[in-house]
Amino acid sequence: MEYQHGTLFGYEVREYLLEKFGHQCAYCGGASGDPVLNVDHVIPRTRGGSDRVSNLVVVCRTCNEAKGNRMPAEWLGALQASARPLDRIRAQRFPEALKRLSQPLRDAAAVNTVRWVIVDRLQHLGLPLERGSGGRTKRNRAGQGYPKKHWIDAACTGASGDRVRLEPAMRVLQIAATGHGTRRRCGTDPYGFPVRHAPAAKSYQGFRTGDLVRARIPRGKYAGTHVGRIAIRHRPSFRLNGFDVHPKHLQLLQRSDGYAYSWG
Ligand SMILES: [Zn+2]
C-alpha cells in the first residue's frame, strides 16, 4: 500500500507516461515550443475523471492550460472551430492521443511477465538480494544530484541507493562482452557463395584473436610501444590497432576470455 500510494508512485507513473508518449506533448507534439511537460487528466478530475493511467497523458504546460477543465469532446470541438495553426495541429493529433490512452506498453508487459520469475530464481541462490525500479533509481540519483550515467544508475538502484558516495576521482572498471569468435566455418560473399574457410586451429604461435598484447616495434612507420587486442591471421602478420604487426614483437598481457576490460 505504501509503495502504491507513496511519493514513489507518482514518480513511476510519470516515467511510464513519458515513455508511452515518447517524451513529447501528446496534444501538440512539441509545436507549442513549451519544454515543460505535465501529467494531464484527459477527463478532468473535477468532472469525474480517475487517476488511472488510462486517463493520463503527458502534455506541455501550454496545452495543459489551454485545455483547462474541458471534457475531451468539448476541447476537440473548440480546436476544430479554431483557425490558429497550433489548434489545427492539436485537432489533428487529439484523436490519436485518445486512442493511445488504453494501449499498454508492449515491452513493459513482456518484462513484467518475466521479472518476478527472475527474482524468484535469484532468491533460491541464498545471496543478499535487493530489488529496485527504474523510477526509484532515478529519484535516488536525482535526489543526490548525480548526472545520468548507466554506472551511476547501477549504484543508485534499490532501497540503499539513496545514500551512495561517489567522488569525481573514482574510476569505473568497464567490462564489455566481446564473445569468443564465431562458430561459422565458412565465410560467404554478399550473394551467399562460399569464399573462405576458417582454419581449424584457433591460435597461431601461441596467440589468439582477442588477446591483449603489448607490441614493441623497433623501427618503421609504427615504431614504438602499442597496447591493444589483436586479431590473428594464420601467418606471421596480425592486426593490432589498425595496422599489421609481426608476432615476434608481441608480449601477451592478458589472454582473451570473452570480455574487454578498461578503466573509464
Ligand atoms: Zn503541447
Side-chain angles (χ1 to χ4, degrees):
M1 288 297 283
E2 194 183 303
Y3 172 78
Q4 286 188 345
H5 298 291
T7 49
L8 199 52
F9 181 62
Y11 224 88
E12 302 285 4
V13 169
R14 195 178 140 81
E15 286 301 304
Y16 174 87
L17 292 170
L18 284 169
E19 192 68 29
K20 184 171 180 174
F21 293 97
H23 293 259
Q24 221 183 29
C25 171
Y27 293 162
C28 72
S32 73
D34 188 345
V36 181
L37 292 177
N38 292 334
V39 173
D40 184 45
H41 290 71
V42 178
I43 298 172
R45 238 182 319 193
T46 51
R47 301 177 70 172
S50 77
D51 283 335
R52 302 180 63 164
V53 283
S54 56
N55 189 41
L56 301 176
V57 283
V58 163
V59 298
C60 70
R61 188 181 42 194
T62 304
C63 289
N64 198 2
E65 285 166 4
K67 175 171 172 287
N69 215 22
R70 281 180 275 192
M71 293 292 273
E74 297 168 7
W75 163 243
L76 183 61
L79 292 177
Q80 284 166 341
S82 167
R84 288 179 62 205
L86 183 56
D87 285 341
R88 311 258 17 117
I89 294 168
R90 286 165 170 166
Q92 208 172 14
R93 292 178 55 94
F94 192 59
E96 192 59 39
L98 291 181
K99 232 184 281 172
R100 279 167 66 187
L101 282 178
S102 55
Q103 283 173 0
L105 283 175
R106 201 179 298 168
D107 294 348
V111 169
N112 261 330
T113 59
V114 295
R115 64 173 177 159
W116 293 113
V117 177
I118 294 172
V119 168
D120 188 55
R121 298 270 170 97
L122 289 172
Q123 250 152 5
H124 281 96
L125 296 176
L127 294 166
L129 183 65
E130 197 178 278
R131 282 165 286 154
S133 63
R136 178 172 216 160
T137 299
K138 186 171 178 180
R139 195 176 69 126
N140 286 347
R141 172 173 57 72
Q144 296 171 95
Y146 293 138
K148 166 82 188 137
K149 289 269 186 326
H150 286 305
W151 69 273
I152 294 176
D153 270 348
C156 295
T157 299
S160 60
D162 61 353
R163 22 179 214 285
V164 178
R165 193 178 62 91
L166 299 173
E167 302 286 342
M170 281 179 176
R171 299 208 298 163
V172 188
L173 176 60
Q174 297 177 326
I175 305 174
T178 55
H180 294 273
T182 170
R183 288 183 190 277
R184 196 171 57 182
R185 305 319 300 157
C186 176
T188 58
D189 68 12
Y191 306 102
F193 290 99
V195 289
R196 61 186 173 273
H197 291 270
K202 286 192 82 173
S203 67
Y204 186 83
Q205 292 196 358
F207 291 100
R208 286 169 173 240
T209 291
D211 287 350
L212 186 68
V213 297
R214 178 182 292 122
R216 286 204 178 83
I217 300 171
R219 60 189 161 274
K221 189 178 169 188
Y222 296 103
T225 304
H226 308 266
V227 174
R229 289 152 56 81
I230 46 161
I232 68 160
R233 298 191 188 99
H234 287 266
R235 54 190 158 88
S237 168
F238 298 166
R239 287 299 278 181
L240 172 69
N241 299 353
F243 57 88
D244 291 351
V245 61
H246 194 287
K248 72 182 176 190
H249 299 310
L250 300 181
Q251 180 199 354
L252 182 67
L253 294 178
Q254 194 202 319
R255 183 64 81 192
S256 170
D257 63 354
Y259 297 92
Y261 306 92
S262 60
W263 287 100

PDB file of all heavy atoms in Angstrom, residues 207-241:
ATOM      1  N   PHE A 207      49.185 -17.196 -29.954  1.00  0.00           N
ATOM      2  CA  PHE A 207      48.256 -16.066 -29.814  1.00  0.00           C
ATOM      3  C   PHE A 207      46.894 -16.422 -30.369  1.00  0.00           C
ATOM      4  O   PHE A 207      46.772 -17.197 -31.319  1.00  0.00           O
ATOM      5  CB  PHE A 207      48.792 -14.838 -30.557  1.00  0.00           C
ATOM      6  CG  PHE A 207      50.023 -14.254 -29.921  1.00  0.00           C
ATOM      7  CD1 PHE A 207      51.288 -14.530 -30.438  1.00  0.00           C
ATOM      8  CD2 PHE A 207      49.927 -13.433 -28.809  1.00  0.00           C
ATOM      9  CE1 PHE A 207      52.421 -14.002 -29.856  1.00  0.00           C
ATOM     10  CE2 PHE A 207      51.061 -12.892 -28.218  1.00  0.00           C
ATOM     11  CZ  PHE A 207      52.321 -13.175 -28.744  1.00  0.00           C
ATOM     12  N   ARG A 208      45.868 -15.829 -29.744  1.00  0.00           N
ATOM     13  CA  ARG A 208      44.500 -15.975 -30.227  1.00  0.00           C
ATOM     14  C   ARG A 208      43.917 -14.601 -30.487  1.00  0.00           C
ATOM     15  O   ARG A 208      44.316 -13.627 -29.850  1.00  0.00           O
ATOM     16  CB  ARG A 208      43.618 -16.650 -29.168  1.00  0.00           C
ATOM     17  CG  ARG A 208      43.858 -18.122 -29.015  1.00  0.00           C
ATOM     18  CD  ARG A 208      43.129 -18.627 -27.778  1.00  0.00           C
ATOM     19  NE  ARG A 208      43.239 -20.085 -27.727  1.00  0.00           N
ATOM     20  CZ  ARG A 208      42.193 -20.901 -27.739  1.00  0.00           C
ATOM     21  NH1 ARG A 208      40.972 -20.424 -27.767  1.00  0.00           N
ATOM     22  NH2 ARG A 208      42.365 -22.201 -27.700  1.00  0.00           N
ATOM     23  N   THR A 209      42.953 -14.552 -31.370  1.00  0.00           N
ATOM     24  CA  THR A 209      42.233 -13.293 -31.584  1.00  0.00           C
ATOM     25  C   THR A 209      41.583 -12.839 -30.276  1.00  0.00           C
ATOM     26  O   THR A 209      40.967 -13.647 -29.584  1.00  0.00           O
ATOM     27  CB  THR A 209      41.159 -13.487 -32.665  1.00  0.00           C
ATOM     28  OG1 THR A 209      41.810 -13.682 -33.917  1.00  0.00           O
ATOM     29  CG2 THR A 209      40.252 -12.261 -32.774  1.00  0.00           C
ATOM     30  N   GLY A 210      41.765 -11.573 -29.951  1.00  0.00           N
ATOM     31  CA  GLY A 210      41.186 -11.027 -28.729  1.00  0.00           C
ATOM     32  C   GLY A 210      42.181 -10.917 -27.598  1.00  0.00           C
ATOM     33  O   GLY A 210      41.886 -10.286 -26.584  1.00  0.00           O
ATOM     34  N   ASP A 211      43.373 -11.527 -27.736  1.00  0.00           N
ATOM     35  CA  ASP A 211      44.381 -11.410 -26.678  1.00  0.00           C
ATOM     36  C   ASP A 211      44.827  -9.957 -26.539  1.00  0.00           C
ATOM     37  O   ASP A 211      44.990  -9.250 -27.535  1.00  0.00           O
ATOM     38  CB  ASP A 211      45.605 -12.278 -27.018  1.00  0.00           C
ATOM     39  CG  ASP A 211      45.323 -13.761 -26.847  1.00  0.00           C
ATOM     40  OD1 ASP A 211      44.262 -14.090 -26.293  1.00  0.00           O
ATOM     41  OD2 ASP A 211      46.178 -14.577 -27.278  1.00  0.00           O
ATOM     42  N   LEU A 212      45.034  -9.555 -25.288  1.00  0.00           N
ATOM     43  CA  LEU A 212      45.566  -8.222 -25.027  1.00  0.00           C
ATOM     44  C   LEU A 212      47.085  -8.316 -25.044  1.00  0.00           C
ATOM     45  O   LEU A 212      47.662  -9.127 -24.322  1.00  0.00           O
ATOM     46  CB  LEU A 212      45.076  -7.711 -23.665  1.00  0.00           C
ATOM     47  CG  LEU A 212      45.425  -6.275 -23.304  1.00  0.00           C
ATOM     48  CD1 LEU A 212      44.684  -5.303 -24.213  1.00  0.00           C
ATOM     49  CD2 LEU A 212      45.084  -5.991 -21.845  1.00  0.00           C
ATOM     50  N   VAL A 213      47.727  -7.516 -25.882  1.00  0.00           N
ATOM     51  CA  VAL A 213      49.176  -7.624 -26.057  1.00  0.00           C
ATOM     52  C   VAL A 213      49.833  -6.253 -25.961  1.00  0.00           C
ATOM     53  O   VAL A 213      49.178  -5.217 -26.129  1.00  0.00           O
ATOM     54  CB  VAL A 213      49.535  -8.245 -27.430  1.00  0.00           C
ATOM     55  CG1 VAL A 213      49.011  -9.655 -27.552  1.00  0.00           C
ATOM     56  CG2 VAL A 213      49.027  -7.367 -28.559  1.00  0.00           C
ATOM     57  N   ARG A 214      51.157  -6.293 -25.669  1.00  0.00           N
ATOM     58  CA  ARG A 214      51.971  -5.095 -25.808  1.00  0.00           C
ATOM     59  C   ARG A 214      52.932  -5.350 -26.967  1.00  0.00           C
ATOM     60  O   ARG A 214      53.605  -6.381 -27.000  1.00  0.00           O
ATOM     61  CB  ARG A 214      52.762  -4.802 -24.536  1.00  0.00           C
ATOM     62  CG  ARG A 214      53.657  -3.561 -24.686  1.00  0.00           C
ATOM     63  CD  ARG A 214      54.489  -3.286 -23.446  1.00  0.00           C
ATOM     64  NE  ARG A 214      53.655  -2.888 -22.328  1.00  0.00           N
ATOM     65  CZ  ARG A 214      53.618  -3.525 -21.154  1.00  0.00           C
ATOM     66  NH1 ARG A 214      54.359  -4.598 -20.966  1.00  0.00           N
ATOM     67  NH2 ARG A 214      52.826  -3.102 -20.186  1.00  0.00           N
ATOM     68  N   ALA A 215      52.965  -4.429 -27.918  1.00  0.00           N
ATOM     69  CA  ALA A 215      53.864  -4.555 -29.068  1.00  0.00           C
ATOM     70  C   ALA A 215      55.003  -3.548 -28.912  1.00  0.00           C
ATOM     71  O   ALA A 215      54.746  -2.370 -28.653  1.00  0.00           O
ATOM     72  CB  ALA A 215      53.090  -4.306 -30.355  1.00  0.00           C
ATOM     73  N   ARG A 216      56.238  -4.050 -29.022  1.00  0.00           N
ATOM     74  CA  ARG A 216      57.395  -3.136 -29.048  1.00  0.00           C
ATOM     75  C   ARG A 216      57.992  -3.230 -30.442  1.00  0.00           C
ATOM     76  O   ARG A 216      58.686  -4.198 -30.756  1.00  0.00           O
ATOM     77  CB  ARG A 216      58.426  -3.537 -27.992  1.00  0.00           C
ATOM     78  CG  ARG A 216      57.983  -3.194 -26.587  1.00  0.00           C
ATOM     79  CD  ARG A 216      59.191  -3.036 -25.662  1.00  0.00           C
ATOM     80  NE  ARG A 216      58.753  -2.647 -24.318  1.00  0.00           N
ATOM     81  CZ  ARG A 216      58.332  -3.523 -23.399  1.00  0.00           C
ATOM     82  NH1 ARG A 216      58.325  -4.817 -23.658  1.00  0.00           N
ATOM     83  NH2 ARG A 216      57.922  -3.101 -22.214  1.00  0.00           N
ATOM     84  N   ILE A 217      57.715  -2.242 -31.250  1.00  0.00           N
ATOM     85  CA  ILE A 217      58.160  -2.277 -32.642  1.00  0.00           C
ATOM     86  C   ILE A 217      59.397  -1.387 -32.767  1.00  0.00           C
ATOM     87  O   ILE A 217      59.337  -0.186 -32.464  1.00  0.00           O
ATOM     88  CB  ILE A 217      57.027  -1.810 -33.573  1.00  0.00           C
ATOM     89  CG1 ILE A 217      55.815  -2.737 -33.398  1.00  0.00           C
ATOM     90  CG2 ILE A 217      57.484  -1.802 -35.025  1.00  0.00           C
ATOM     91  CD1 ILE A 217      54.559  -2.300 -34.074  1.00  0.00           C
ATOM     92  N   PRO A 218      60.543  -1.988 -33.146  1.00  0.00           N
ATOM     93  CA  PRO A 218      61.816  -1.250 -33.106  1.00  0.00           C
ATOM     94  C   PRO A 218      61.933  -0.151 -34.171  1.00  0.00           C
ATOM     95  O   PRO A 218      62.523   0.887 -33.917  1.00  0.00           O
ATOM     96  CB  PRO A 218      62.870  -2.335 -33.318  1.00  0.00           C
ATOM     97  CG  PRO A 218      62.141  -3.467 -33.978  1.00  0.00           C
ATOM     98  CD  PRO A 218      60.727  -3.398 -33.545  1.00  0.00           C
ATOM     99  N   ARG A 219      61.409  -0.381 -35.354  1.00  0.00           N
ATOM    100  CA  ARG A 219      61.591   0.638 -36.403  1.00  0.00           C
ATOM    101  C   ARG A 219      60.423   0.565 -37.381  1.00  0.00           C
ATOM    102  O   ARG A 219      59.577  -0.321 -37.290  1.00  0.00           O
ATOM    103  CB  ARG A 219      62.930   0.438 -37.121  1.00  0.00           C
ATOM    104  CG  ARG A 219      63.064  -0.910 -37.797  1.00  0.00           C
ATOM    105  CD  ARG A 219      64.476  -1.156 -38.305  1.00  0.00           C
ATOM    106  NE  ARG A 219      64.672  -2.590 -38.530  1.00  0.00           N
ATOM    107  CZ  ARG A 219      65.058  -3.449 -37.578  1.00  0.00           C
ATOM    108  NH1 ARG A 219      65.322  -3.027 -36.353  1.00  0.00           N
ATOM    109  NH2 ARG A 219      65.168  -4.751 -37.832  1.00  0.00           N
ATOM    110  N   GLY A 220      60.415   1.500 -38.290  1.00  0.00           N
ATOM    111  CA  GLY A 220      59.346   1.535 -39.289  1.00  0.00           C
ATOM    112  C   GLY A 220      58.321   2.595 -38.934  1.00  0.00           C
ATOM    113  O   GLY A 220      58.463   3.360 -37.987  1.00  0.00           O
ATOM    114  N   LYS A 221      57.255   2.619 -39.734  1.00  0.00           N
ATOM    115  CA  LYS A 221      56.221   3.632 -39.581  1.00  0.00           C
ATOM    116  C   LYS A 221      55.560   3.584 -38.206  1.00  0.00           C
ATOM    117  O   LYS A 221      55.159   4.601 -37.651  1.00  0.00           O
ATOM    118  CB  LYS A 221      55.167   3.389 -40.677  1.00  0.00           C
ATOM    119  CG  LYS A 221      54.118   4.485 -40.801  1.00  0.00           C
ATOM    120  CD  LYS A 221      53.168   4.165 -41.953  1.00  0.00           C
ATOM    121  CE  LYS A 221      51.965   5.096 -41.921  1.00  0.00           C
ATOM    122  NZ  LYS A 221      50.939   4.692 -42.893  1.00  0.00           N
ATOM    123  N   TYR A 222      55.420   2.347 -37.645  1.00  0.00           N
ATOM    124  CA  TYR A 222      54.712   2.185 -36.376  1.00  0.00           C
ATOM    125  C   TYR A 222      55.669   1.903 -35.227  1.00  0.00           C
ATOM    126  O   TYR A 222      55.310   1.242 -34.258  1.00  0.00           O
ATOM    127  CB  TYR A 222      53.665   1.077 -36.502  1.00  0.00           C
ATOM    128  CG  TYR A 222      52.593   1.413 -37.506  1.00  0.00           C
ATOM    129  CD1 TYR A 222      52.586   0.833 -38.768  1.00  0.00           C
ATOM    130  CD2 TYR A 222      51.606   2.348 -37.200  1.00  0.00           C
ATOM    131  CE1 TYR A 222      51.612   1.161 -39.706  1.00  0.00           C
ATOM    132  CE2 TYR A 222      50.640   2.681 -38.125  1.00  0.00           C
ATOM    133  CZ  TYR A 222      50.646   2.081 -39.367  1.00  0.00           C
ATOM    134  OH  TYR A 222      49.674   2.420 -40.282  1.00  0.00           O
ATOM    135  N   ALA A 223      56.923   2.392 -35.330  1.00  0.00           N
ATOM    136  CA  ALA A 223      57.903   2.183 -34.273  1.00  0.00           C
ATOM    137  C   ALA A 223      57.374   2.740 -32.958  1.00  0.00           C
ATOM    138  O   ALA A 223      56.735   3.798 -32.918  1.00  0.00           O
ATOM    139  CB  ALA A 223      59.222   2.859 -34.646  1.00  0.00           C
ATOM    140  N   GLY A 224      57.639   1.967 -31.874  1.00  0.00           N
ATOM    141  CA  GLY A 224      57.185   2.424 -30.558  1.00  0.00           C
ATOM    142  C   GLY A 224      56.450   1.311 -29.833  1.00  0.00           C
ATOM    143  O   GLY A 224      56.470   0.153 -30.265  1.00  0.00           O
ATOM    144  N   THR A 225      55.793   1.677 -28.743  1.00  0.00           N
ATOM    145  CA  THR A 225      55.074   0.699 -27.927  1.00  0.00           C
ATOM    146  C   THR A 225      53.575   0.894 -28.101  1.00  0.00           C
ATOM    147  O   THR A 225      53.084   2.023 -28.052  1.00  0.00           O
ATOM    148  CB  THR A 225      55.456   0.864 -26.436  1.00  0.00           C
ATOM    149  OG1 THR A 225      56.881   0.741 -26.323  1.00  0.00           O
ATOM    150  CG2 THR A 225      54.808  -0.214 -25.588  1.00  0.00           C
ATOM    151  N   HIS A 226      52.877  -0.198 -28.351  1.00  0.00           N
ATOM    152  CA  HIS A 226      51.427  -0.151 -28.538  1.00  0.00           C
ATOM    153  C   HIS A 226      50.788  -1.211 -27.659  1.00  0.00           C
ATOM    154  O   HIS A 226      51.353  -2.282 -27.476  1.00  0.00           O
ATOM    155  CB  HIS A 226      51.056  -0.441 -29.999  1.00  0.00           C
ATOM    156  CG  HIS A 226      51.793   0.404 -30.984  1.00  0.00           C
ATOM    157  ND1 HIS A 226      51.293   1.571 -31.485  1.00  0.00           N
ATOM    158  CD2 HIS A 226      53.029   0.247 -31.547  1.00  0.00           C
ATOM    159  CE1 HIS A 226      52.171   2.097 -32.322  1.00  0.00           C
ATOM    160  NE2 HIS A 226      53.238   1.315 -32.379  1.00  0.00           N
ATOM    161  N   VAL A 227      49.617  -0.910 -27.134  1.00  0.00           N
ATOM    162  CA  VAL A 227      48.861  -1.892 -26.355  1.00  0.00           C
ATOM    163  C   VAL A 227      47.473  -2.018 -26.959  1.00  0.00           C
ATOM    164  O   VAL A 227      46.855  -1.019 -27.336  1.00  0.00           O
ATOM    165  CB  VAL A 227      48.746  -1.463 -24.866  1.00  0.00           C
ATOM    166  CG1 VAL A 227      47.828  -2.404 -24.093  1.00  0.00           C
ATOM    167  CG2 VAL A 227      50.123  -1.430 -24.221  1.00  0.00           C
ATOM    168  N   GLY A 228      47.015  -3.252 -27.117  1.00  0.00           N
ATOM    169  CA  GLY A 228      45.667  -3.435 -27.661  1.00  0.00           C
ATOM    170  C   GLY A 228      45.354  -4.900 -27.843  1.00  0.00           C
ATOM    171  O   GLY A 228      46.136  -5.772 -27.466  1.00  0.00           O
ATOM    172  N   ARG A 229      44.181  -5.146 -28.393  1.00  0.00           N
ATOM    173  CA  ARG A 229      43.763  -6.522 -28.635  1.00  0.00           C
ATOM    174  C   ARG A 229      44.049  -6.881 -30.086  1.00  0.00           C
ATOM    175  O   ARG A 229      43.793  -6.087 -30.986  1.00  0.00           O
ATOM    176  CB  ARG A 229      42.269  -6.655 -28.343  1.00  0.00           C
ATOM    177  CG  ARG A 229      41.946  -6.565 -26.847  1.00  0.00           C
ATOM    178  CD  ARG A 229      40.565  -6.019 -26.591  1.00  0.00           C
ATOM    179  NE  ARG A 229      39.554  -6.819 -27.290  1.00  0.00           N
ATOM    180  CZ  ARG A 229      39.070  -7.972 -26.826  1.00  0.00           C
ATOM    181  NH1 ARG A 229      39.473  -8.453 -25.674  1.00  0.00           N
ATOM    182  NH2 ARG A 229      38.172  -8.628 -27.500  1.00  0.00           N
ATOM    183  N   ILE A 230      44.583  -8.068 -30.303  1.00  0.00           N
ATOM    184  CA  ILE A 230      44.973  -8.464 -31.660  1.00  0.00           C
ATOM    185  C   ILE A 230      43.903  -9.314 -32.333  1.00  0.00           C
ATOM    186  O   ILE A 230      43.118  -9.986 -31.679  1.00  0.00           O
ATOM    187  CB  ILE A 230      46.304  -9.272 -31.681  1.00  0.00           C
ATOM    188  CG1 ILE A 230      46.288 -10.345 -30.593  1.00  0.00           C
ATOM    189  CG2 ILE A 230      47.489  -8.363 -31.613  1.00  0.00           C
ATOM    190  CD1 ILE A 230      47.289 -11.434 -30.829  1.00  0.00           C
ATOM    191  N   ALA A 231      43.914  -9.248 -33.643  1.00  0.00           N
ATOM    192  CA  ALA A 231      43.192 -10.214 -34.466  1.00  0.00           C
ATOM    193  C   ALA A 231      44.254 -11.010 -35.219  1.00  0.00           C
ATOM    194  O   ALA A 231      45.058 -10.417 -35.939  1.00  0.00           O
ATOM    195  CB  ALA A 231      42.257  -9.500 -35.433  1.00  0.00           C
ATOM    196  N   ILE A 232      44.273 -12.328 -35.010  1.00  0.00           N
ATOM    197  CA  ILE A 232      45.359 -13.107 -35.603  1.00  0.00           C
ATOM    198  C   ILE A 232      45.035 -13.498 -37.039  1.00  0.00           C
ATOM    199  O   ILE A 232      43.874 -13.508 -37.470  1.00  0.00           O
ATOM    200  CB  ILE A 232      45.688 -14.386 -34.791  1.00  0.00           C
ATOM    201  CG1 ILE A 232      44.527 -15.404 -34.862  1.00  0.00           C
ATOM    202  CG2 ILE A 232      46.003 -14.035 -33.345  1.00  0.00           C
ATOM    203  CD1 ILE A 232      44.964 -16.800 -34.523  1.00  0.00           C
ATOM    204  N   ARG A 233      46.105 -13.770 -37.782  1.00  0.00           N
ATOM    205  CA  ARG A 233      45.983 -14.476 -39.054  1.00  0.00           C
ATOM    206  C   ARG A 233      46.843 -15.734 -38.940  1.00  0.00           C
ATOM    207  O   ARG A 233      47.655 -15.845 -38.024  1.00  0.00           O
ATOM    208  CB  ARG A 233      46.499 -13.607 -40.214  1.00  0.00           C
ATOM    209  CG  ARG A 233      45.733 -12.313 -40.405  1.00  0.00           C
ATOM    210  CD  ARG A 233      46.147 -11.685 -41.731  1.00  0.00           C
ATOM    211  NE  ARG A 233      45.602 -10.346 -41.912  1.00  0.00           N
ATOM    212  CZ  ARG A 233      46.282  -9.236 -41.673  1.00  0.00           C
ATOM    213  NH1 ARG A 233      47.542  -9.296 -41.254  1.00  0.00           N
ATOM    214  NH2 ARG A 233      45.724  -8.053 -41.872  1.00  0.00           N
ATOM    215  N   HIS A 234      46.677 -16.650 -39.869  1.00  0.00           N
ATOM    216  CA  HIS A 234      47.476 -17.877 -39.802  1.00  0.00           C
ATOM    217  C   HIS A 234      48.748 -17.729 -40.599  1.00  0.00           C
ATOM    218  O   HIS A 234      49.131 -18.585 -41.383  1.00  0.00           O
ATOM    219  CB  HIS A 234      46.624 -19.091 -40.201  1.00  0.00           C
ATOM    220  CG  HIS A 234      45.639 -19.426 -39.117  1.00  0.00           C
ATOM    221  ND1 HIS A 234      45.884 -20.358 -38.136  1.00  0.00           N
ATOM    222  CD2 HIS A 234      44.436 -18.876 -38.813  1.00  0.00           C
ATOM    223  CE1 HIS A 234      44.862 -20.389 -37.289  1.00  0.00           C
ATOM    224  NE2 HIS A 234      43.977 -19.499 -37.689  1.00  0.00           N
ATOM    225  N   ARG A 235      49.364 -16.593 -40.420  1.00  0.00           N
ATOM    226  CA  ARG A 235      50.705 -16.291 -40.914  1.00  0.00           C
ATOM    227  C   ARG A 235      51.254 -15.197 -40.005  1.00  0.00           C
ATOM    228  O   ARG A 235      50.474 -14.547 -39.296  1.00  0.00           O
ATOM    229  CB  ARG A 235      50.671 -15.873 -42.383  1.00  0.00           C
ATOM    230  CG  ARG A 235      49.723 -14.741 -42.696  1.00  0.00           C
ATOM    231  CD  ARG A 235      49.593 -14.579 -44.221  1.00  0.00           C
ATOM    232  NE  ARG A 235      48.355 -13.899 -44.581  1.00  0.00           N
ATOM    233  CZ  ARG A 235      48.225 -12.575 -44.671  1.00  0.00           C
ATOM    234  NH1 ARG A 235      49.253 -11.785 -44.421  1.00  0.00           N
ATOM    235  NH2 ARG A 235      47.057 -12.040 -45.003  1.00  0.00           N
ATOM    236  N   PRO A 236      52.565 -14.998 -40.013  1.00  0.00           N
ATOM    237  CA  PRO A 236      53.127 -14.077 -39.008  1.00  0.00           C
ATOM    238  C   PRO A 236      52.841 -12.609 -39.311  1.00  0.00           C
ATOM    239  O   PRO A 236      53.756 -11.805 -39.475  1.00  0.00           O
ATOM    240  CB  PRO A 236      54.635 -14.389 -39.044  1.00  0.00           C
ATOM    241  CG  PRO A 236      54.870 -15.010 -40.360  1.00  0.00           C
ATOM    242  CD  PRO A 236      53.607 -15.669 -40.793  1.00  0.00           C
ATOM    243  N   SER A 237      51.576 -12.273 -39.414  1.00  0.00           N
ATOM    244  CA  SER A 237      51.168 -10.886 -39.581  1.00  0.00           C
ATOM    245  C   SER A 237      49.785 -10.732 -38.951  1.00  0.00           C
ATOM    246  O   SER A 237      48.790 -11.200 -39.497  1.00  0.00           O
ATOM    247  CB  SER A 237      51.121 -10.548 -41.075  1.00  0.00           C
ATOM    248  OG  SER A 237      50.475  -9.312 -41.266  1.00  0.00           O
ATOM    249  N   PHE A 238      49.743 -10.087 -37.763  1.00  0.00           N
ATOM    250  CA  PHE A 238      48.480  -9.908 -37.052  1.00  0.00           C
ATOM    251  C   PHE A 238      48.008  -8.468 -37.192  1.00  0.00           C
ATOM    252  O   PHE A 238      48.775  -7.578 -37.524  1.00  0.00           O
ATOM    253  CB  PHE A 238      48.651 -10.223 -35.551  1.00  0.00           C
ATOM    254  CG  PHE A 238      49.054 -11.636 -35.246  1.00  0.00           C
ATOM    255  CD1 PHE A 238      49.528 -11.966 -33.981  1.00  0.00           C
ATOM    256  CD2 PHE A 238      48.950 -12.652 -36.196  1.00  0.00           C
ATOM    257  CE1 PHE A 238      49.896 -13.266 -33.686  1.00  0.00           C
ATOM    258  CE2 PHE A 238      49.318 -13.954 -35.902  1.00  0.00           C
ATOM    259  CZ  PHE A 238      49.801 -14.263 -34.641  1.00  0.00           C
ATOM    260  N   ARG A 239      46.722  -8.255 -36.898  1.00  0.00           N
ATOM    261  CA  ARG A 239      46.183  -6.889 -36.868  1.00  0.00           C
ATOM    262  C   ARG A 239      46.175  -6.383 -35.429  1.00  0.00           C
ATOM    263  O   ARG A 239      45.733  -7.093 -34.519  1.00  0.00           O
ATOM    264  CB  ARG A 239      44.736  -6.847 -37.398  1.00  0.00           C
ATOM    265  CG  ARG A 239      44.577  -7.015 -38.883  1.00  0.00           C
ATOM    266  CD  ARG A 239      45.251  -5.969 -39.702  1.00  0.00           C
ATOM    267  NE  ARG A 239      44.493  -4.713 -39.853  1.00  0.00           N
ATOM    268  CZ  ARG A 239      44.933  -3.680 -40.569  1.00  0.00           C
ATOM    269  NH1 ARG A 239      46.118  -3.730 -41.148  1.00  0.00           N
ATOM    270  NH2 ARG A 239      44.197  -2.595 -40.664  1.00  0.00           N
ATOM    271  N   LEU A 240      46.688  -5.175 -35.255  1.00  0.00           N
ATOM    272  CA  LEU A 240      46.680  -4.541 -33.928  1.00  0.00           C
ATOM    273  C   LEU A 240      46.396  -3.058 -34.117  1.00  0.00           C
ATOM    274  O   LEU A 240      47.146  -2.374 -34.813  1.00  0.00           O
ATOM    275  CB  LEU A 240      48.029  -4.746 -33.222  1.00  0.00           C
ATOM    276  CG  LEU A 240      48.203  -3.973 -31.902  1.00  0.00           C
ATOM    277  CD1 LEU A 240      47.299  -4.510 -30.813  1.00  0.00           C
ATOM    278  CD2 LEU A 240      49.658  -4.019 -31.438  1.00  0.00           C
ATOM    279  N   ASN A 241      45.352  -2.568 -33.507  1.00  0.00           N
ATOM    280  CA  ASN A 241      45.005  -1.143 -33.544  1.00  0.00           C
ATOM    281  C   ASN A 241      45.022  -0.576 -34.970  1.00  0.00           C
ATOM    282  O   ASN A 241      45.425   0.564 -35.190  1.00  0.00           O
ATOM    283  CB  ASN A 241      45.952  -0.316 -32.656  1.00  0.00           C
ATOM    284  CG  ASN A 241      45.886  -0.740 -31.194  1.00  0.00           C
ATOM    285  OD1 ASN A 241      45.040  -1.549 -30.824  1.00  0.00           O
ATOM    286  ND2 ASN A 241      46.769  -0.204 -30.382  1.00  0.00           N
TER     287      ASN A 241
END
